[in-house]
């Protein structure tokens, strides 16, 4: 699951980079803001997910 989340984040960052090339004056959003947000989300998910799985295993 963690690999899928990080892979998805990197794919979306690549897509944002392509959009940034054609976005004109809004290119900075796609070149800096969107990738930064995606990385923060991936890091937070990485911190949250293992404990969530452990808690599910303990209750089962």
């Amino acid at each position: 699951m963690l690999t899928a989340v990080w892979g998805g984040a990197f794919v979306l960052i690549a897509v944002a980079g392509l959009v940034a090339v054609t976005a004109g004056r809004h290119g900075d959003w796609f070149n800096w803001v969107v990738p930064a947000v995606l990385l923060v989300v991936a890091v937070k998910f990485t911190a949250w997910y293992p404990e969530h799985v452990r808690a599910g295993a303990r209750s089962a």
Side-chain angles (χ1 to χ4, degrees):
M1 180 59 76
L2 292 174
T3 302
V5 168
W6 278 98
F10 288 133
V11 166
L12 291 174
I13 288 170
V15 170
L18 290 173
V19 171
V21 171
T22 61
R25 65 186 184 121
H26 299 293
D28 284 344
W29 277 94
F30 293 102
N31 204 24
W32 294 101
V33 177
V34 172
V37 169
L38 289 169
L39 288 175
V40 168
V41 168
V43 167
K44 288 188 176 280
F45 183 81
T46 299
W48 169 81
Y49 186 72
E51 185 56 38
H52 172 72
V53 171
R54 283 187 210 107
R58 282 190 290 245
S59 66

